[in-house]
PDB file of all heavy atoms in Angstrom:
ATOM      1  N   PRO U 121      23.346  76.226 142.685  1.00 95.00           N
ATOM      2  CA  PRO U 121      23.165  75.073 141.790  1.00 95.00           C
ATOM      3  C   PRO U 121      22.552  75.517 140.461  1.00 95.00           C
ATOM      4  O   PRO U 121      21.496  76.156 140.426  1.00 95.00           O
ATOM      5  CB  PRO U 121      22.191  74.183 142.574  1.00 95.00           C
ATOM      6  CG  PRO U 121      22.368  74.571 144.003  1.00 95.00           C
ATOM      7  CD  PRO U 121      22.653  76.041 143.976  1.00 95.00           C
ATOM      8  N   GLY U 122      23.254  75.230 139.359  1.00 94.00           N
ATOM      9  CA  GLY U 122      22.744  75.595 138.046  1.00 94.00           C
ATOM     10  C   GLY U 122      22.965  77.030 137.648  1.00 94.00           C
ATOM     11  O   GLY U 122      22.443  77.480 136.620  1.00 94.00           O
ATOM     12  N   VAL U 123      23.755  77.789 138.411  1.00 96.00           N
ATOM     13  CA  VAL U 123      24.101  79.174 138.074  1.00 96.00           C
ATOM     14  C   VAL U 123      25.604  79.336 138.247  1.00 96.00           C
ATOM     15  O   VAL U 123      26.123  79.171 139.358  1.00 96.00           O
ATOM     16  CB  VAL U 123      23.366  80.193 138.971  1.00 96.00           C
ATOM     17  CG1 VAL U 123      23.708  81.622 138.551  1.00 96.00           C
ATOM     18  CG2 VAL U 123      21.869  79.965 138.946  1.00 96.00           C
ATOM     19  N   VAL U 124      26.322  79.638 137.139  1.00 96.00           N
ATOM     20  CA  VAL U 124      27.780  79.700 137.208  1.00 96.00           C
ATOM     21  C   VAL U 124      28.294  80.965 136.540  1.00 96.00           C
ATOM     22  O   VAL U 124      27.637  81.546 135.666  1.00 96.00           O
ATOM     23  CB  VAL U 124      28.434  78.467 136.545  1.00 96.00           C
ATOM     24  CG1 VAL U 124      27.954  77.176 137.198  1.00 96.00           C
ATOM     25  CG2 VAL U 124      28.180  78.426 135.039  1.00 96.00           C
ATOM     26  N   VAL U 125      29.483  81.377 136.955  1.00 96.00           N
ATOM     27  CA  VAL U 125      30.196  82.471 136.305  1.00 96.00           C
ATOM     28  C   VAL U 125      31.224  81.860 135.354  1.00 96.00           C
ATOM     29  O   VAL U 125      31.951  80.932 135.727  1.00 96.00           O
ATOM     30  CB  VAL U 125      30.913  83.366 137.331  1.00 96.00           C
ATOM     31  CG1 VAL U 125      31.602  84.542 136.621  1.00 96.00           C
ATOM     32  CG2 VAL U 125      29.939  83.879 138.382  1.00 96.00           C
ATOM     33  N   GLY U 126      31.276  82.364 134.117  1.00 91.00           N
ATOM     34  CA  GLY U 126      32.242  81.878 133.137  1.00 91.00           C
ATOM     35  C   GLY U 126      32.728  83.011 132.268  1.00 91.00           C
ATOM     36  O   GLY U 126      32.075  84.062 132.157  1.00 91.00           O
ATOM     37  N   TYR U 127      33.879  82.817 131.640  1.00 90.00           N
ATOM     38  CA  TYR U 127      34.401  83.825 130.710  1.00 90.00           C
ATOM     39  C   TYR U 127      33.518  83.901 129.466  1.00 90.00           C
ATOM     40  O   TYR U 127      33.149  82.879 128.881  1.00 90.00           O
ATOM     41  CB  TYR U 127      35.827  83.486 130.298  1.00 90.00           C
ATOM     42  CG  TYR U 127      36.896  83.868 131.296  1.00 90.00           C
ATOM     43  CD1 TYR U 127      38.069  83.114 131.394  1.00 90.00           C
ATOM     44  CD2 TYR U 127      36.777  84.985 132.107  1.00 90.00           C
ATOM     45  CE1 TYR U 127      39.072  83.450 132.285  1.00 90.00           C
ATOM     46  CE2 TYR U 127      37.777  85.342 133.003  1.00 90.00           C
ATOM     47  CZ  TYR U 127      38.925  84.572 133.088  1.00 90.00           C
ATOM     48  OH  TYR U 127      39.921  84.916 133.973  1.00 90.00           O
ATOM     49  N   GLU U 128      33.218  85.106 129.021  1.00 89.00           N
ATOM     50  CA  GLU U 128      32.331  85.307 127.877  1.00 89.00           C
ATOM     51  C   GLU U 128      32.926  84.761 126.577  1.00 89.00           C
ATOM     52  O   GLU U 128      32.187  84.404 125.656  1.00 89.00           O
ATOM     53  CB  GLU U 128      32.025  86.799 127.710  1.00 89.00           C
ATOM     54  CG  GLU U 128      33.256  87.648 127.425  1.00 89.00           C
ATOM     55  CD  GLU U 128      32.952  89.141 127.335  1.00 89.00           C
ATOM     56  OE1 GLU U 128      31.771  89.513 127.511  1.00 89.00           O
ATOM     57  OE2 GLU U 128      33.892  89.928 127.100  1.00 89.00           O
ATOM     58  N   ARG U 129      34.255  84.660 126.494  1.00 86.00           N
ATOM     59  CA  ARG U 129      34.881  84.258 125.231  1.00 86.00           C
ATOM     60  C   ARG U 129      34.653  82.789 124.900  1.00 86.00           C
ATOM     61  O   ARG U 129      34.845  82.385 123.758  1.00 86.00           O
ATOM     62  CB  ARG U 129      36.379  84.555 125.295  1.00 86.00           C
ATOM     63  CG  ARG U 129      37.136  83.740 126.330  1.00 86.00           C
ATOM     64  CD  ARG U 129      38.563  84.220 126.469  1.00 86.00           C
ATOM     65  NE  ARG U 129      39.297  83.472 127.474  1.00 86.00           N
ATOM     66  CZ  ARG U 129      40.261  83.994 128.208  1.00 86.00           C
ATOM     67  NH1 ARG U 129      40.596  85.249 128.055  1.00 86.00           N
ATOM     68  NH2 ARG U 129      40.910  83.258 129.091  1.00 86.00           N
ATOM     69  N   ASN U 130      34.270  81.983 125.897  1.00 84.00           N
ATOM     70  CA  ASN U 130      34.055  80.556 125.647  1.00 84.00           C
ATOM     71  C   ASN U 130      32.628  80.334 125.151  1.00 84.00           C
ATOM     72  O   ASN U 130      31.778  79.761 125.829  1.00 84.00           O
ATOM     73  CB  ASN U 130      34.347  79.762 126.922  1.00 84.00           C
ATOM     74  CG  ASN U 130      35.818  79.845 127.293  1.00 84.00           C
ATOM     75  OD1 ASN U 130      36.689  79.562 126.475  1.00 84.00           O
ATOM     76  ND2 ASN U 130      36.090  80.265 128.512  1.00 84.00           N
ATOM     77  N   ILE U 131      32.391  80.769 123.934  1.00 86.00           N
ATOM     78  CA  ILE U 131      31.041  80.851 123.377  1.00 86.00           C
ATOM     79  C   ILE U 131      30.391  79.479 123.282  1.00 86.00           C
ATOM     80  O   ILE U 131      29.225  79.294 123.677  1.00 86.00           O
ATOM     81  CB  ILE U 131      31.093  81.531 121.988  1.00 86.00           C
ATOM     82  CG1 ILE U 131      31.551  82.988 122.147  1.00 86.00           C
ATOM     83  CG2 ILE U 131      29.723  81.459 121.306  1.00 86.00           C
ATOM     84  CD1 ILE U 131      31.832  83.691 120.827  1.00 86.00           C
ATOM     85  N   GLU U 132      31.112  78.491 122.770  1.00 86.00           N
ATOM     86  CA  GLU U 132      30.502  77.180 122.553  1.00 86.00           C
ATOM     87  C   GLU U 132      30.234  76.464 123.877  1.00 86.00           C
ATOM     88  O   GLU U 132      29.186  75.839 124.063  1.00 86.00           O
ATOM     89  CB  GLU U 132      31.397  76.326 121.646  1.00 86.00           C
ATOM     90  CG  GLU U 132      31.679  76.931 120.280  1.00 86.00           C
ATOM     91  CD  GLU U 132      30.427  77.068 119.425  1.00 86.00           C
ATOM     92  OE1 GLU U 132      29.389  76.483 119.797  1.00 86.00           O
ATOM     93  OE2 GLU U 132      30.482  77.759 118.397  1.00 86.00           O
ATOM     94  N   THR U 133      31.176  76.544 124.793  1.00 88.00           N
ATOM     95  CA  THR U 133      30.970  75.896 126.096  1.00 88.00           C
ATOM     96  C   THR U 133      29.797  76.535 126.836  1.00 88.00           C
ATOM     97  O   THR U 133      28.952  75.841 127.416  1.00 88.00           O
ATOM     98  CB  THR U 133      32.242  75.993 126.954  1.00 88.00           C
ATOM     99  OG1 THR U 133      33.314  75.330 126.267  1.00 88.00           O
ATOM    100  CG2 THR U 133      32.039  75.340 128.312  1.00 88.00           C
ATOM    101  N   ASN U 134      29.726  77.864 126.805  1.00 90.00           N
ATOM    102  CA  ASN U 134      28.610  78.551 127.457  1.00 90.00           C
ATOM    103  C   ASN U 134      27.275  78.153 126.826  1.00 90.00           C
ATOM    104  O   ASN U 134      26.268  77.977 127.526  1.00 90.00           O
ATOM    105  CB  ASN U 134      28.800  80.064 127.384  1.00 90.00           C
ATOM    106  CG  ASN U 134      29.979  80.543 128.210  1.00 90.00           C
ATOM    107  OD1 ASN U 134      30.437  79.850 129.117  1.00 90.00           O
ATOM    108  ND2 ASN U 134      30.489  81.725 127.895  1.00 90.00           N
ATOM    109  N   ALA U 135      27.278  77.985 125.507  1.00 89.00           N
ATOM    110  CA  ALA U 135      26.045  77.568 124.824  1.00 89.00           C
ATOM    111  C   ALA U 135      25.634  76.166 125.261  1.00 89.00           C
ATOM    112  O   ALA U 135      24.449  75.893 125.495  1.00 89.00           O
ATOM    113  CB  ALA U 135      26.239  77.617 123.310  1.00 89.00           C
ATOM    114  N   ARG U 136      26.605  75.270 125.402  1.00 90.00           N
ATOM    115  CA  ARG U 136      26.296  73.903 125.832  1.00 90.00           C
ATOM    116  C   ARG U 136      25.764  73.899 127.261  1.00 90.00           C
ATOM    117  O   ARG U 136      24.840  73.147 127.598  1.00 90.00           O
ATOM    118  CB  ARG U 136      27.531  73.009 125.717  1.00 90.00           C
ATOM    119  CG  ARG U 136      27.939  72.689 124.300  1.00 90.00           C
ATOM    120  CD  ARG U 136      29.104  71.705 124.257  1.00 90.00           C
ATOM    121  NE  ARG U 136      28.679  70.384 124.685  1.00 90.00           N
ATOM    122  CZ  ARG U 136      28.162  69.450 123.870  1.00 90.00           C
ATOM    123  NH1 ARG U 136      27.979  69.728 122.590  1.00 90.00           N
ATOM    124  NH2 ARG U 136      27.831  68.261 124.318  1.00 90.00           N
ATOM    125  N   LEU U 137      26.342  74.723 128.098  1.00 92.00           N
ATOM    126  CA  LEU U 137      25.856  74.810 129.472  1.00 92.00           C
ATOM    127  C   LEU U 137      24.401  75.287 129.497  1.00 92.00           C
ATOM    128  O   LEU U 137      23.556  74.731 130.206  1.00 92.00           O
ATOM    129  CB  LEU U 137      26.741  75.759 130.287  1.00 92.00           C
ATOM    130  CG  LEU U 137      28.120  75.225 130.676  1.00 92.00           C
ATOM    131  CD1 LEU U 137      29.020  76.358 131.156  1.00 92.00           C
ATOM    132  CD2 LEU U 137      28.005  74.164 131.765  1.00 92.00           C
ATOM    133  N   GLU U 138      24.106  76.307 128.721  1.00 93.00           N
ATOM    134  CA  GLU U 138      22.746  76.834 128.718  1.00 93.00           C
ATOM    135  C   GLU U 138      21.750  75.841 128.128  1.00 93.00           C
ATOM    136  O   GLU U 138      20.611  75.746 128.589  1.00 93.00           O
ATOM    137  CB  GLU U 138      22.721  78.169 127.975  1.00 93.00           C
ATOM    138  CG  GLU U 138      23.432  79.259 128.766  1.00 93.00           C
ATOM    139  CD  GLU U 138      23.500  80.588 128.059  1.00 93.00           C
ATOM    140  OE1 GLU U 138      23.487  80.616 126.815  1.00 93.00           O
ATOM    141  OE2 GLU U 138      23.568  81.619 128.765  1.00 93.00           O
ATOM    142  N   GLN U 139      22.190  75.087 127.127  1.00 91.00           N
ATOM    143  CA  GLN U 139      21.326  74.043 126.575  1.00 91.00           C
ATOM    144  C   GLN U 139      21.006  72.980 127.625  1.00 91.00           C
ATOM    145  O   GLN U 139      19.957  72.337 127.570  1.00 91.00           O
ATOM    146  CB  GLN U 139      21.988  73.398 125.355  1.00 91.00           C
ATOM    147  CG  GLN U 139      22.053  74.302 124.134  1.00 91.00           C
ATOM    148  CD  GLN U 139      23.014  73.793 123.084  1.00 91.00           C
ATOM    149  OE1 GLN U 139      23.536  72.677 123.182  1.00 91.00           O
ATOM    150  NE2 GLN U 139      23.255  74.598 122.059  1.00 91.00           N
ATOM    151  N   ALA U 140      21.900  72.809 128.571  1.00 93.00           N
ATOM    152  CA  ALA U 140      21.694  71.822 129.640  1.00 93.00           C
ATOM    153  C   ALA U 140      20.947  72.410 130.836  1.00 93.00           C
ATOM    154  O   ALA U 140      20.802  71.747 131.863  1.00 93.00           O
ATOM    155  CB  ALA U 140      23.042  71.255 130.085  1.00 93.00           C
ATOM    156  N   GLY U 141      20.506  73.648 130.721  1.00 93.00           N
ATOM    157  CA  GLY U 141      19.734  74.248 131.796  1.00 93.00           C
ATOM    158  C   GLY U 141      20.540  75.035 132.803  1.00 93.00           C
ATOM    159  O   GLY U 141      20.031  75.410 133.863  1.00 93.00           O
ATOM    160  N   ILE U 142      21.803  75.306 132.494  1.00 94.00           N
ATOM    161  CA  ILE U 142      22.674  76.059 133.403  1.00 94.00           C
ATOM    162  C   ILE U 142      22.669  77.529 133.002  1.00 94.00           C
ATOM    163  O   ILE U 142      22.899  77.862 131.843  1.00 94.00           O
ATOM    164  CB  ILE U 142      24.118  75.522 133.355  1.00 94.00           C
ATOM    165  CG1 ILE U 142      24.159  74.021 133.654  1.00 94.00           C
ATOM    166  CG2 ILE U 142      25.004  76.295 134.322  1.00 94.00           C
ATOM    167  CD1 ILE U 142      23.662  73.640 135.015  1.00 94.00           C
ATOM    168  N   GLU U 143      22.436  78.413 133.953  1.00 96.00           N
ATOM    169  CA  GLU U 143      22.543  79.848 133.696  1.00 96.00           C
ATOM    170  C   GLU U 143      24.002  80.260 133.783  1.00 96.00           C
ATOM    171  O   GLU U 143      24.683  79.953 134.770  1.00 96.00           O
ATOM    172  CB  GLU U 143      21.715  80.637 134.710  1.00 96.00           C
ATOM    173  CG  GLU U 143      21.772  82.143 134.492  1.00 96.00           C
ATOM    174  CD  GLU U 143      21.028  82.936 135.544  1.00 96.00           C
ATOM    175  OE1 GLU U 143      20.366  82.312 136.419  1.00 96.00           O
ATOM    176  OE2 GLU U 143      21.103  84.186 135.512  1.00 96.00           O
ATOM    177  N   VAL U 144      24.497  80.936 132.748  1.00 95.00           N
ATOM    178  CA  VAL U 144      25.895  81.371 132.721  1.00 95.00           C
ATOM    179  C   VAL U 144      25.956  82.888 132.881  1.00 95.00           C
ATOM    180  O   VAL U 144      25.390  83.633 132.067  1.00 95.00           O
ATOM    181  CB  VAL U 144      26.593  80.956 131.413  1.00 95.00           C
ATOM    182  CG1 VAL U 144      28.053  81.423 131.430  1.00 95.00           C
ATOM    183  CG2 VAL U 144      26.516  79.450 131.209  1.00 95.00           C
ATOM    184  N   LEU U 145      26.622  83.340 133.924  1.00 96.00           N
ATOM    185  CA  LEU U 145      26.863  84.763 134.153  1.00 96.00           C
ATOM    186  C   LEU U 145      28.206  85.086 133.508  1.00 96.00           C
ATOM    187  O   LEU U 145      29.268  84.736 134.027  1.00 96.00           O
ATOM    188  CB  LEU U 145      26.893  85.064 135.659  1.00 96.00           C
ATOM    189  CG  LEU U 145      25.690  84.552 136.456  1.00 96.00           C
ATOM    190  CD1 LEU U 145      25.916  84.772 137.951  1.00 96.00           C
ATOM    191  CD2 LEU U 145      24.397  85.204 135.997  1.00 96.00           C
ATOM    192  N   ARG U 146      28.168  85.747 132.375  1.00 95.00           N
ATOM    193  CA  ARG U 146      29.377  85.962 131.580  1.00 95.00           C
ATOM    194  C   ARG U 146      30.167  87.168 132.075  1.00 95.00           C
ATOM    195  O   ARG U 146      29.585  88.216 132.353  1.00 95.00           O
ATOM    196  CB  ARG U 146      29.014  86.143 130.113  1.00 95.00           C
ATOM    197  CG  ARG U 146      28.483  84.885 129.440  1.00 95.00           C
ATOM    198  CD  ARG U 146      27.845  85.231 128.094  1.00 95.00           C
ATOM    199  NE  ARG U 146      27.494  84.042 127.323  1.00 95.00           N
ATOM    200  CZ  ARG U 146      26.413  83.298 127.544  1.00 95.00           C
ATOM    201  NH1 ARG U 146      25.595  83.626 128.536  1.00 95.00           N
ATOM    202  NH2 ARG U 146      26.161  82.238 126.792  1.00 95.00           N
ATOM    203  N   ILE U 147      31.489  87.003 132.143  1.00 93.00           N
ATOM    204  CA  ILE U 147      32.374  88.117 132.484  1.00 93.00           C
ATOM    205  C   ILE U 147      33.497  88.184 131.461  1.00 93.00           C
ATOM    206  O   ILE U 147      33.860  87.176 130.841  1.00 93.00           O
ATOM    207  CB  ILE U 147      32.976  87.991 133.898  1.00 93.00           C
ATOM    208  CG1 ILE U 147      33.860  86.738 134.023  1.00 93.00           C
ATOM    209  CG2 ILE U 147      31.883  88.001 134.959  1.00 93.00           C
ATOM    210  CD1 ILE U 147      34.694  86.694 135.284  1.00 93.00           C
ATOM    211  N   ALA U 148      34.043  89.379 131.272  1.00 90.00           N
ATOM    212  CA  ALA U 148      35.202  89.548 130.395  1.00 90.00           C
ATOM    213  C   ALA U 148      36.450  89.036 131.101  1.00 90.00           C
ATOM    214  O   ALA U 148      36.574  89.129 132.321  1.00 90.00           O
ATOM    215  CB  ALA U 148      35.362  91.017 130.024  1.00 90.00           C
ATOM    216  N   GLY U 149      37.387  88.505 130.311  1.00 81.00           N
ATOM    217  CA  GLY U 149      38.608  87.978 130.923  1.00 81.00           C
ATOM    218  C   GLY U 149      39.814  88.043 130.024  1.00 81.00           C
ATOM    219  O   GLY U 149      40.750  87.261 130.184  1.00 81.00           O
ATOM    220  N   SER U 150      39.839  88.999 129.085  1.00 80.00           N
ATOM    221  CA  SER U 150      40.959  89.054 128.144  1.00 80.00           C
ATOM    222  C   SER U 150      42.276  89.321 128.843  1.00 80.00           C
ATOM    223  O   SER U 150      43.324  88.806 128.450  1.00 80.00           O
ATOM    224  CB  SER U 150      40.702  90.119 127.082  1.00 80.00           C
ATOM    225  OG  SER U 150      40.571  91.397 127.682  1.00 80.00           O
ATOM    226  N   GLU U 151      42.253  90.116 129.923  1.00 83.00           N
ATOM    227  CA  GLU U 151      43.479  90.403 130.671  1.00 83.00           C
ATOM    228  C   GLU U 151      43.605  89.521 131.911  1.00 83.00           C
ATOM    229  O   GLU U 151      44.700  89.080 132.255  1.00 83.00           O
ATOM    230  CB  GLU U 151      43.506  91.882 131.079  1.00 83.00           C
ATOM    231  CG  GLU U 151      43.492  92.836 129.908  1.00 83.00           C
ATOM    232  CD  GLU U 151      44.627  92.591 128.922  1.00 83.00           C
ATOM    233  OE1 GLU U 151      45.780  92.433 129.368  1.00 83.00           O
ATOM    234  OE2 GLU U 151      44.346  92.540 127.708  1.00 83.00           O
ATOM    235  N   LEU U 152      42.503  89.238 132.579  1.00 80.00           N
ATOM    236  CA  LEU U 152      42.564  88.386 133.768  1.00 80.00           C
ATOM    237  C   LEU U 152      43.103  87.004 133.436  1.00 80.00           C
ATOM    238  O   LEU U 152      43.782  86.370 134.245  1.00 80.00           O
ATOM    239  CB  LEU U 152      41.163  88.252 134.394  1.00 80.00           C
ATOM    240  CG  LEU U 152      40.574  89.503 135.039  1.00 80.00           C
ATOM    241  CD1 LEU U 152      39.154  89.220 135.528  1.00 80.00           C
ATOM    242  CD2 LEU U 152      41.439  89.977 136.204  1.00 80.00           C
ATOM    243  N   GLY U 153      42.805  86.517 132.233  1.00 73.00           N
ATOM    244  CA  GLY U 153      43.210  85.166 131.867  1.00 73.00           C
ATOM    245  C   GLY U 153      44.660  85.006 131.476  1.00 73.00           C
ATOM    246  O   GLY U 153      45.094  83.886 131.155  1.00 73.00           O
ATOM    247  N   SER U 154      45.450  86.084 131.502  1.00 70.00           N
ATOM    248  CA  SER U 154      46.841  85.986 131.064  1.00 70.00           C
ATOM    249  C   SER U 154      47.698  85.151 132.004  1.00 70.00           C
ATOM    250  O   SER U 154      48.794  84.742 131.650  1.00 70.00           O
ATOM    251  CB  SER U 154      47.450  87.380 130.905  1.00 70.00           C
ATOM    252  OG  SER U 154      47.393  88.093 132.117  1.00 70.00           O
ATOM    253  N   GLY U 155      47.200  84.891 133.203  1.00 64.00           N
ATOM    254  CA  GLY U 155      47.916  84.020 134.132  1.00 64.00           C
ATOM    255  C   GLY U 155      47.366  82.609 134.144  1.00 64.00           C
ATOM    256  O   GLY U 155      47.723  81.805 134.995  1.00 64.00           O
ATOM    257  N   ARG U 156      46.490  82.303 133.168  1.00 69.00           N
ATOM    258  CA  ARG U 156      45.877  80.975 133.013  1.00 69.00           C
ATOM    259  C   ARG U 156      45.020  80.631 134.226  1.00 69.00           C
ATOM    260  O   ARG U 156      45.342  79.770 135.019  1.00 69.00           O
ATOM    261  CB  ARG U 156      46.931  79.889 132.787  1.00 69.00           C
ATOM    262  CG  ARG U 156      47.740  80.018 131.521  1.00 69.00           C
ATOM    263  CD  ARG U 156      47.158  79.271 130.334  1.00 69.00           C
ATOM    264  NE  ARG U 156      45.866  79.744 129.890  1.00 69.00           N
ATOM    265  CZ  ARG U 156      45.683  80.809 129.088  1.00 69.00           C
ATOM    266  NH1 ARG U 156      46.699  81.510 128.701  1.00 69.00           N
ATOM    267  NH2 ARG U 156      44.466  81.154 128.718  1.00 69.00           N
ATOM    268  N   GLY U 157      43.900  81.340 134.333  1.00 81.00           N
ATOM    269  CA  GLY U 157      42.960  81.044 135.397  1.00 81.00           C
ATOM    270  C   GLY U 157      41.617  81.687 135.129  1.00 81.00           C
ATOM    271  O   GLY U 157      41.553  82.802 134.613  1.00 81.00           O
ATOM    272  N   GLY U 158      40.546  80.968 135.462  1.00 89.00           N
ATOM    273  CA  GLY U 158      39.204  81.470 135.241  1.00 89.00           C
ATOM    274  C   GLY U 158      38.528  81.877 136.530  1.00 89.00           C
ATOM    275  O   GLY U 158      39.169  82.054 137.573  1.00 89.00           O
ATOM    276  N   PRO U 159      37.195  82.026 136.493  1.00 93.00           N
ATOM    277  CA  PRO U 159      36.463  82.484 137.677  1.00 93.00           C
ATOM    278  C   PRO U 159      36.672  81.615 138.914  1.00 93.00           C
ATOM    279  O   PRO U 159      36.731  82.139 140.026  1.00 93.00           O
ATOM    280  CB  PRO U 159      35.003  82.453 137.204  1.00 93.00           C
ATOM    281  CG  PRO U 159      35.091  82.681 135.731  1.00 93.00           C
ATOM    282  CD  PRO U 159      36.330  81.960 135.296  1.00 93.00           C
TER     283      PRO U 159
END
């Protein structure tokens, strides 16, 4: 609860999550995301 994995490239969304008290564990996804899917 309150700890999530997200793609590092989504800078604004990650910032909003952290402002709301959510810890974001950032991962790279430039190639993983080519099939349209996140963590």
